[in-house]
Amino acid sequence: MQFIDEIMGWYQQNKRDLPWRNTSDPYVIWLSEIILQQTRVEQGMPYFNRFQEKYPAVADFAGAAENDILNLWQGLGYYSRGRNMHATAQLVMENHGGLFPTRYDDLIQLKGIGEYTAAAISSFSVNEPRAVVDGNVFRLLSRYFGIKEVINSSQGKKIFTQLANEVMNKEQPGLSNQAMMEFGALVCKPKSPDCVICPLNQDCYALKQGEIGNLPVKKKGGSSRSRYFNYVVVLKDNAVLMNKRGPKDIWENLYDFPLFETDTALDAPAVLALPEFVEIFGANVRPESVYRSAKHLLSHQTIYAQFIVIQDFNLTLAQKVNWSYIRFDDLEKMAQPKIIFSFLRNLVH
Ligand code: SF4
């Protein structure tokens, strides 16, 4: 039996019943694909369900307020995905008459849709013969065929995409792609693949050569940058002073607190002595309490945060357009990064 036939046979027997598999609606497929990027299925599933319920059609998504989308996205990370989706939905309304495109060449023009997502939507919705090459597919192909090309290089991507297109079942591209992805996720797993039950184990290069741990080959990413966030949490009359974050940094348009970022870790008295702090808050601030959070890992940076809590402070906010007092009751309407809503949950409850 051919490589892809084995995998599709396995898929028919073993696939998980995931809600986005029972549709050919390109909007729903798009929703699921973007939500599941960099996210495990178990973590992404409740988000997918919430989004689909709240925005059943692309017009609903396009008409939503950005803060509502980010709020629903809260905790999923990589918030630019939510913002890009909003822009994409609006473009679909304007340029495609509200009909979500299904063709690869149209999809690839849309914001936040790369080759992978365009191939997924076009093949799952209308069976366009475009191979989907995600991490699962890279791993499976690399191990079975013994390909040592670095997967996160442009040359590697080219070679793997070409091979994925060659092995794809051209009669049923959607099913073929789903099967490859599911097989990589459930059988040819990153650690401890199930080679014993794998229907490909007779001819698998990595298994025969004892190379499973070495494949696929990946170039190490750049080192992670450490950032030290000193947050000032000002509480006043059942409200807390929040900051709406600006562009060109992580968490654009999300809400955090007034922030004093430093190059090294400082204790609270040193933060209170920073000239930029004194300029706004004065020299005689007495914090009520200080909390340090566990380090927060993002893709290329590590955030070390501390929260300096101040009660009943009188502050003139005229110069600080991004700062405003938000009542505790209204906090859940404001989209916040995880590090902030975890802190607030403990503080307010
Ligand atoms: S035999 Fe093992 S390494 Fe090879 S394809 Fe199957 S699960 Fe992957």
Side-chain angles (χ1 to χ4, degrees):
M1 224 197 248
Q2 263 200 330
F3 169 80
I4 195 63
D5 297 335
E6 292 283 9
I7 292 173
M8 288 174 74
W10 171 91
Y11 180 70
Q12 300 290 12
Q13 302 286 322
N14 298 287
K15 66 176 172 188
R16 291 170 289 184
D17 184 21
L18 302 174
W20 49 86
R21 292 226 168 110
N22 305 321
T23 181
S24 55
D25 180 341
Y27 165 69
V28 177
I29 296 166
W30 168 71
L31 210 53
S32 70
E33 286 301 327
I34 307 286
I35 288 174
L36 290 178
Q37 279 169 16
Q38 325 266 0
T39 306
R40 284 174 296 111
V41 166
E42 308 80 64
Q43 195 202 354
M45 179 95 82
Y47 284 88
F48 169 79
N49 290 334
R50 270 179 246 143
F51 269 96
Q52 204 194 5
E53 197 182 330
K54 189 154 183 195
Y55 309 118
V58 66
D60 305 313
F61 201 108
E66 186 186 82
N67 183 63
D68 288 348
I69 291 171
L70 294 176
N71 203 9
L72 213 55
W73 200 269
Q74 195 163 277
L76 200 52
Y78 300 95
Y79 291 84
S80 56
R81 287 183 290 171
R83 273 190 302 275
N84 282 343
M85 284 175 93
H86 197 213
T88 300
Q90 289 173 341
L91 263 180
V92 168
M93 296 310 293
E94 280 163 31
N95 297 351
H96 297 271
L99 283 179
F100 208 96
T102 54
R103 293 280 154 205
Y104 183 96
D105 290 341
D106 295 328
L107 288 160
I108 199 83
Q109 313 286 341
L110 296 172
K111 200 169 181 180
I113 296 192
E115 291 171 12
Y116 161 81
T117 311
I121 299 173
S122 62
S123 67
F124 301 165
S125 64
V126 294
N127 268 312
E128 186 170 329
R130 298 273 183 177
V132 176
V133 192
D134 73 345
N136 294 312
V137 174
F138 274 120
R139 187 168 59 252
L140 172 59
L141 293 175
S142 153
R143 286 177 177 166
Y144 181 81
F145 292 101
I147 299 170
K148 297 180 179 167
E149 199 69 42
V150 174
I151 60 169
N152 49 345
S153 66
S154 47
Q155 176 68 1
K157 277 196 187 114
K158 217 163 129 191
I159 289 173
F160 280 95
T161 304
Q162 198 177 343
L163 178 61
N165 275 301
E166 277 165 27
V167 299
M168 182 175 62
N169 178 319
K170 309 288 186 304
E171 324 260 274
Q172 298 170 290
L175 208 63
S176 175
N177 281 334
Q178 300 264 21
M180 290 273 283
M181 294 159 77
E182 188 79 334
F183 191 88
L186 298 185
V187 180
C188 196
K189 296 173 286 189
K191 289 191 184 129
S192 320
D194 287 333
C195 303
V196 176
I197 57 137
C198 175
L200 305 170
N201 59 14
Q202 292 300 308
D203 299 309
C204 174
Y205 170 91
L207 182 63
K208 276 194 202 154
Q209 304 296 326
E211 292 250 35
I212 288 171
N214 301 331
L215 294 171
V217 180
K218 206 170 176 184
K219 190 169 56 189
K220 291 252 180 306
S223 58
S224 175
R225 173 163 75 112
S226 294
R227 299 177 72 178
Y228 301 88
F229 282 10
N230 305 288
Y231 280 122
V232 179
V233 184
V234 184
L235 303 174
K236 197 170 170 50
D237 304 331
N238 287 327
V240 56
L241 187 62
M242 301 292 283
N243 165 55
K244 185 171 185 184
R245 293 181 62 85
K248 299 199 178 80
D249 198 357
I250 53 170
W251 305 332
E252 183 181 343
N253 290 351
L254 268 62
Y255 286 81
D256 62 357
F257 306 116
L259 170 63
F260 297 87
E261 183 173 355
T262 48
D263 294 337
T264 53
L266 296 185
D267 59 13
V271 175
L272 302 188
L274 289 169
E276 56 271 37
F277 177 90
V278 173
E279 192 188 328
I280 300 168
F281 290 91
N284 296 314
V285 173
R286 303 238 175 285
E288 185 186 84
S289 47
V290 177
Y291 302 88
R292 273 186 192 280
S293 80
K295 67 179 175 185
H296 188 71
L297 298 173
L298 301 174
S299 52
H300 292 295
Q301 33 190 299
T302 304
I303 309 292
Y304 297 87
Q306 69 173 330
F307 301 91
I308 301 171
V309 180
I310 302 174
Q311 280 280 10
D312 288 325
F313 194 84
N314 275 323
L315 198 60
T316 314
L317 292 178
Q319 299 302 314
K320 295 286 170 192
V321 285
N322 289 345
W323 292 8
S324 56
Y325 281 103
I326 307 288
R327 293 182 54 76
F328 292 158
D329 291 347
D330 293 330
L331 278 174
E332 65 178 33
K333 292 186 214 139
M334 326 301 289
Q336 303 142 31
K338 192 170 180 187
I339 201 168
I340 300 297
F341 76 73
S342 303
F343 173 78
L344 279 171
R345 205 168 33 207
N346 290 332
L347 187 78
V348 176
H349 294 117

PDB file of all heavy atoms in Angstrom, residues 139-140 143-144 183 187-189 193-196 198-202 204-207 212, ligand 1:
ATOM      1  N   ARG A 139       7.390  16.722  10.527  1.00  0.00           N
ATOM      2  CA  ARG A 139       7.990  15.647  11.336  1.00  0.00           C
ATOM      3  C   ARG A 139       7.791  14.287  10.683  1.00  0.00           C
ATOM      4  O   ARG A 139       8.726  13.493  10.557  1.00  0.00           O
ATOM      5  CB  ARG A 139       7.352  15.690  12.734  1.00  0.00           C
ATOM      6  CG  ARG A 139       7.989  14.757  13.741  1.00  0.00           C
ATOM      7  CD  ARG A 139       7.516  15.075  15.126  1.00  0.00           C
ATOM      8  NE  ARG A 139       6.078  14.974  15.267  1.00  0.00           N
ATOM      9  CZ  ARG A 139       5.233  15.989  15.404  1.00  0.00           C
ATOM     10  NH1 ARG A 139       5.689  17.215  15.466  1.00  0.00           N
ATOM     11  NH2 ARG A 139       3.941  15.791  15.515  1.00  0.00           N
ATOM     12  N   LEU A 140       6.574  14.051  10.263  1.00  0.00           N
ATOM     13  CA  LEU A 140       6.257  12.758   9.658  1.00  0.00           C
ATOM     14  C   LEU A 140       7.084  12.525   8.385  1.00  0.00           C
ATOM     15  O   LEU A 140       7.710  11.471   8.221  1.00  0.00           O
ATOM     16  CB  LEU A 140       4.749  12.732   9.351  1.00  0.00           C
ATOM     17  CG  LEU A 140       4.197  11.569   8.555  1.00  0.00           C
ATOM     18  CD1 LEU A 140       4.485  10.245   9.263  1.00  0.00           C
ATOM     19  CD2 LEU A 140       2.690  11.736   8.361  1.00  0.00           C
ATOM     20  N   ARG A 143      10.899  12.074   9.136  1.00  0.00           N
ATOM     21  CA  ARG A 143      11.270  10.781   9.720  1.00  0.00           C
ATOM     22  C   ARG A 143      11.081   9.633   8.724  1.00  0.00           C
ATOM     23  O   ARG A 143      11.974   8.796   8.555  1.00  0.00           O
ATOM     24  CB  ARG A 143      10.423  10.521  10.969  1.00  0.00           C
ATOM     25  CG  ARG A 143      10.852  11.368  12.149  1.00  0.00           C
ATOM     26  CD  ARG A 143       9.932  11.115  13.320  1.00  0.00           C
ATOM     27  NE  ARG A 143      10.351  11.850  14.505  1.00  0.00           N
ATOM     28  CZ  ARG A 143       9.566  11.998  15.571  1.00  0.00           C
ATOM     29  NH1 ARG A 143       8.370  11.476  15.611  1.00  0.00           N
ATOM     30  NH2 ARG A 143      10.010  12.664  16.625  1.00  0.00           N
ATOM     31  N   TYR A 144       9.944   9.607   8.090  1.00  0.00           N
ATOM     32  CA  TYR A 144       9.659   8.462   7.212  1.00  0.00           C
ATOM     33  C   TYR A 144      10.612   8.431   6.017  1.00  0.00           C
ATOM     34  O   TYR A 144      11.161   7.392   5.675  1.00  0.00           O
ATOM     35  CB  TYR A 144       8.200   8.508   6.740  1.00  0.00           C
ATOM     36  CG  TYR A 144       7.852   7.331   5.863  1.00  0.00           C
ATOM     37  CD1 TYR A 144       7.536   6.092   6.425  1.00  0.00           C
ATOM     38  CD2 TYR A 144       7.866   7.446   4.473  1.00  0.00           C
ATOM     39  CE1 TYR A 144       7.246   4.998   5.629  1.00  0.00           C
ATOM     40  CE2 TYR A 144       7.579   6.356   3.666  1.00  0.00           C
ATOM     41  CZ  TYR A 144       7.269   5.133   4.245  1.00  0.00           C
ATOM     42  OH  TYR A 144       6.995   4.055   3.450  1.00  0.00           O
ATOM     43  N   PHE A 183      -2.222  12.231  11.794  1.00  0.00           N
ATOM     44  CA  PHE A 183      -1.282  11.129  12.007  1.00  0.00           C
ATOM     45  C   PHE A 183      -0.020  11.643  12.728  1.00  0.00           C
ATOM     46  O   PHE A 183       0.475  11.020  13.666  1.00  0.00           O
ATOM     47  CB  PHE A 183      -0.904  10.499  10.660  1.00  0.00           C
ATOM     48  CG  PHE A 183      -0.165   9.206  10.793  1.00  0.00           C
ATOM     49  CD1 PHE A 183      -0.851   8.011  10.892  1.00  0.00           C
ATOM     50  CD2 PHE A 183       1.227   9.175  10.823  1.00  0.00           C
ATOM     51  CE1 PHE A 183      -0.167   6.806  11.032  1.00  0.00           C
ATOM     52  CE2 PHE A 183       1.913   7.981  10.963  1.00  0.00           C
ATOM     53  CZ  PHE A 183       1.214   6.797  11.062  1.00  0.00           C
ATOM     54  N   VAL A 187       0.237   9.864  16.181  1.00  0.00           N
ATOM     55  CA  VAL A 187       1.101   8.664  16.105  1.00  0.00           C
ATOM     56  C   VAL A 187       2.572   9.064  16.041  1.00  0.00           C
ATOM     57  O   VAL A 187       3.368   8.724  16.919  1.00  0.00           O
ATOM     58  CB  VAL A 187       0.735   7.785  14.879  1.00  0.00           C
ATOM     59  CG1 VAL A 187       1.640   6.549  14.837  1.00  0.00           C
ATOM     60  CG2 VAL A 187      -0.721   7.358  14.932  1.00  0.00           C
ATOM     61  N   CYS A 188       2.929   9.822  15.022  1.00  0.00           N
ATOM     62  CA  CYS A 188       4.337  10.210  14.872  1.00  0.00           C
ATOM     63  C   CYS A 188       4.582  11.476  15.692  1.00  0.00           C
ATOM     64  O   CYS A 188       4.893  12.541  15.173  1.00  0.00           O
ATOM     65  CB  CYS A 188       4.666  10.415  13.389  1.00  0.00           C
ATOM     66  SG  CYS A 188       6.439  10.434  13.091  1.00  0.00           S
ATOM     67  N   LYS A 189       4.416  11.341  17.007  1.00  0.00           N
ATOM     68  CA  LYS A 189       4.459  12.489  17.921  1.00  0.00           C
ATOM     69  C   LYS A 189       5.900  12.974  18.109  1.00  0.00           C
ATOM     70  O   LYS A 189       6.837  12.207  17.885  1.00  0.00           O
ATOM     71  CB  LYS A 189       3.896  12.054  19.278  1.00  0.00           C
ATOM     72  CG  LYS A 189       2.427  11.661  19.212  1.00  0.00           C
ATOM     73  CD  LYS A 189       1.944  11.073  20.520  1.00  0.00           C
ATOM     74  CE  LYS A 189       2.460   9.668  20.738  1.00  0.00           C
ATOM     75  NZ  LYS A 189       1.875   8.967  21.882  1.00  0.00           N
ATOM     76  N   PRO A 193       7.084   8.604  19.693  1.00  0.00           N
ATOM     77  CA  PRO A 193       6.095   8.220  18.672  1.00  0.00           C
ATOM     78  C   PRO A 193       5.692   6.751  18.850  1.00  0.00           C
ATOM     79  O   PRO A 193       6.477   5.953  19.363  1.00  0.00           O
ATOM     80  CB  PRO A 193       6.847   8.435  17.357  1.00  0.00           C
ATOM     81  CG  PRO A 193       8.291   8.419  17.717  1.00  0.00           C
ATOM     82  CD  PRO A 193       8.401   8.928  19.116  1.00  0.00           C
ATOM     83  N   ASP A 194       4.464   6.441  18.421  1.00  0.00           N
ATOM     84  CA  ASP A 194       3.943   5.070  18.594  1.00  0.00           C
ATOM     85  C   ASP A 194       4.375   4.176  17.439  1.00  0.00           C
ATOM     86  O   ASP A 194       3.544   3.679  16.669  1.00  0.00           O
ATOM     87  CB  ASP A 194       2.410   5.102  18.678  1.00  0.00           C
ATOM     88  CG  ASP A 194       1.949   5.658  20.008  1.00  0.00           C
ATOM     89  OD1 ASP A 194       2.703   5.524  20.995  1.00  0.00           O
ATOM     90  OD2 ASP A 194       0.847   6.236  20.058  1.00  0.00           O
ATOM     91  N   CYS A 195       5.672   3.943  17.320  1.00  0.00           N
ATOM     92  CA  CYS A 195       6.190   3.179  16.173  1.00  0.00           C
ATOM     93  C   CYS A 195       5.679   1.744  16.178  1.00  0.00           C
ATOM     94  O   CYS A 195       5.537   1.139  15.108  1.00  0.00           O
ATOM     95  CB  CYS A 195       7.713   3.185  16.179  1.00  0.00           C
ATOM     96  SG  CYS A 195       8.394   4.840  16.157  1.00  0.00           S
ATOM     97  N   VAL A 196       5.398   1.205  17.350  1.00  0.00           N
ATOM     98  CA  VAL A 196       4.984  -0.201  17.406  1.00  0.00           C
ATOM     99  C   VAL A 196       3.672  -0.413  16.658  1.00  0.00           C
ATOM    100  O   VAL A 196       3.516  -1.386  15.920  1.00  0.00           O
ATOM    101  CB  VAL A 196       4.850  -0.649  18.888  1.00  0.00           C
ATOM    102  CG1 VAL A 196       4.343  -2.069  18.985  1.00  0.00           C
ATOM    103  CG2 VAL A 196       6.187  -0.504  19.599  1.00  0.00           C
ATOM    104  N   CYS A 198       2.479   1.769  14.446  1.00  0.00           N
ATOM    105  CA  CYS A 198       2.466   2.608  13.242  1.00  0.00           C
ATOM    106  C   CYS A 198       2.404   1.739  11.980  1.00  0.00           C
ATOM    107  O   CYS A 198       3.247   0.855  11.791  1.00  0.00           O
ATOM    108  CB  CYS A 198       3.728   3.473  13.216  1.00  0.00           C
ATOM    109  SG  CYS A 198       3.853   4.433  11.700  1.00  0.00           S
ATOM    110  N   PRO A 199       1.431   1.980  11.101  1.00  0.00           N
ATOM    111  CA  PRO A 199       1.326   1.163   9.881  1.00  0.00           C
ATOM    112  C   PRO A 199       2.483   1.401   8.901  1.00  0.00           C
ATOM    113  O   PRO A 199       2.611   0.688   7.915  1.00  0.00           O
ATOM    114  CB  PRO A 199      -0.010   1.613   9.270  1.00  0.00           C
ATOM    115  CG  PRO A 199      -0.296   2.950   9.868  1.00  0.00           C
ATOM    116  CD  PRO A 199       0.358   2.979  11.212  1.00  0.00           C
ATOM    117  N   LEU A 200       3.328   2.385   9.194  1.00  0.00           N
ATOM    118  CA  LEU A 200       4.453   2.678   8.289  1.00  0.00           C
ATOM    119  C   LEU A 200       5.767   2.106   8.816  1.00  0.00           C
ATOM    120  O   LEU A 200       6.825   2.360   8.249  1.00  0.00           O
ATOM    121  CB  LEU A 200       4.612   4.206   8.142  1.00  0.00           C
ATOM    122  CG  LEU A 200       3.390   4.996   7.685  1.00  0.00           C
ATOM    123  CD1 LEU A 200       3.634   6.493   7.837  1.00  0.00           C
ATOM    124  CD2 LEU A 200       3.074   4.661   6.234  1.00  0.00           C
ATOM    125  N   ASN A 201       5.699   1.342   9.897  1.00  0.00           N
ATOM    126  CA  ASN A 201       6.955   0.992  10.587  1.00  0.00           C
ATOM    127  C   ASN A 201       7.872   0.042   9.802  1.00  0.00           C
ATOM    128  O   ASN A 201       9.039  -0.078  10.133  1.00  0.00           O
ATOM    129  CB  ASN A 201       6.687   0.470  12.009  1.00  0.00           C
ATOM    130  CG  ASN A 201       5.800  -0.746  12.031  1.00  0.00           C
ATOM    131  OD1 ASN A 201       5.588  -1.375  10.993  1.00  0.00           O
ATOM    132  ND2 ASN A 201       5.272  -1.070  13.206  1.00  0.00           N
ATOM    133  N   GLN A 202       7.352  -0.592   8.744  1.00  0.00           N
ATOM    134  CA  GLN A 202       8.227  -1.490   7.954  1.00  0.00           C
ATOM    135  C   GLN A 202       9.246  -0.717   7.130  1.00  0.00           C
ATOM    136  O   GLN A 202      10.346  -1.199   6.890  1.00  0.00           O
ATOM    137  CB  GLN A 202       7.378  -2.337   6.991  1.00  0.00           C
ATOM    138  CG  GLN A 202       6.496  -3.363   7.670  1.00  0.00           C
ATOM    139  CD  GLN A 202       7.311  -4.349   8.482  1.00  0.00           C
ATOM    140  OE1 GLN A 202       8.251  -4.947   7.968  1.00  0.00           O
ATOM    141  NE2 GLN A 202       6.986  -4.493   9.766  1.00  0.00           N
ATOM    142  N   CYS A 204      10.038   2.802   7.547  1.00  0.00           N
ATOM    143  CA  CYS A 204      10.366   4.134   8.058  1.00  0.00           C
ATOM    144  C   CYS A 204      11.876   4.293   8.244  1.00  0.00           C
ATOM    145  O   CYS A 204      12.500   3.529   8.992  1.00  0.00           O
ATOM    146  CB  CYS A 204       9.640   4.363   9.384  1.00  0.00           C
ATOM    147  SG  CYS A 204      10.136   5.904  10.168  1.00  0.00           S
ATOM    148  N   TYR A 205      12.426   5.308   7.603  1.00  0.00           N
ATOM    149  CA  TYR A 205      13.875   5.556   7.661  1.00  0.00           C
ATOM    150  C   TYR A 205      14.333   5.779   9.102  1.00  0.00           C
ATOM    151  O   TYR A 205      15.288   5.157   9.570  1.00  0.00           O
ATOM    152  CB  TYR A 205      14.221   6.786   6.807  1.00  0.00           C
ATOM    153  CG  TYR A 205      15.639   7.253   6.985  1.00  0.00           C
ATOM    154  CD1 TYR A 205      16.655   6.763   6.165  1.00  0.00           C
ATOM    155  CD2 TYR A 205      15.981   8.173   7.990  1.00  0.00           C
ATOM    156  CE1 TYR A 205      17.977   7.176   6.343  1.00  0.00           C
ATOM    157  CE2 TYR A 205      17.302   8.578   8.178  1.00  0.00           C
ATOM    158  CZ  TYR A 205      18.281   8.081   7.350  1.00  0.00           C
ATOM    159  OH  TYR A 205      19.581   8.482   7.529  1.00  0.00           O
ATOM    160  N   ALA A 206      13.635   6.672   9.815  1.00  0.00           N
ATOM    161  CA  ALA A 206      14.098   7.048  11.163  1.00  0.00           C
ATOM    162  C   ALA A 206      14.080   5.852  12.104  1.00  0.00           C
ATOM    163  O   ALA A 206      14.975   5.692  12.933  1.00  0.00           O
ATOM    164  CB  ALA A 206      13.232   8.174  11.705  1.00  0.00           C
ATOM    165  N   LEU A 207      13.063   5.013  11.965  1.00  0.00           N
ATOM    166  CA  LEU A 207      12.975   3.847  12.855  1.00  0.00           C
ATOM    167  C   LEU A 207      14.104   2.866  12.542  1.00  0.00           C
ATOM    168  O   LEU A 207      14.802   2.393  13.436  1.00  0.00           O
ATOM    169  CB  LEU A 207      11.602   3.180  12.690  1.00  0.00           C
ATOM    170  CG  LEU A 207      11.351   1.985  13.600  1.00  0.00           C
ATOM    171  CD1 LEU A 207      11.358   2.386  15.070  1.00  0.00           C
ATOM    172  CD2 LEU A 207      10.003   1.322  13.265  1.00  0.00           C
ATOM    173  N   ILE A 212      15.140   8.656  15.193  1.00  0.00           N
ATOM    174  CA  ILE A 212      13.889   9.352  15.523  1.00  0.00           C
ATOM    175  C   ILE A 212      14.147  10.638  16.313  1.00  0.00           C
ATOM    176  O   ILE A 212      13.573  11.689  16.034  1.00  0.00           O
ATOM    177  CB  ILE A 212      12.936   8.403  16.292  1.00  0.00           C
ATOM    178  CG1 ILE A 212      12.402   7.368  15.322  1.00  0.00           C
ATOM    179  CG2 ILE A 212      11.788   9.176  16.942  1.00  0.00           C
ATOM    180  CD1 ILE A 212      11.632   6.251  15.946  1.00  0.00           C
TER     181      ILE A 212
HETATM  182  S1  SF4 B   1       7.587   4.291  12.496  1.00  0.00           S
HETATM  183 FE1  SF4 B   1       7.654   5.762  14.133  1.00  0.00          FE
HETATM  184  S2  SF4 B   1       8.950   7.423  13.405  1.00  0.00           S
HETATM  185 FE2  SF4 B   1       8.356   6.190  11.635  1.00  0.00          FE
HETATM  186  S3  SF4 B   1       6.547   7.204  10.820  1.00  0.00           S
HETATM  187 FE3  SF4 B   1       5.827   5.630  12.201  1.00  0.00          FE
HETATM  188  S4  SF4 B   1       5.600   6.661  14.189  1.00  0.00           S
HETATM  189 FE4  SF4 B   1       6.856   7.992  12.884  1.00  0.00          FE
END
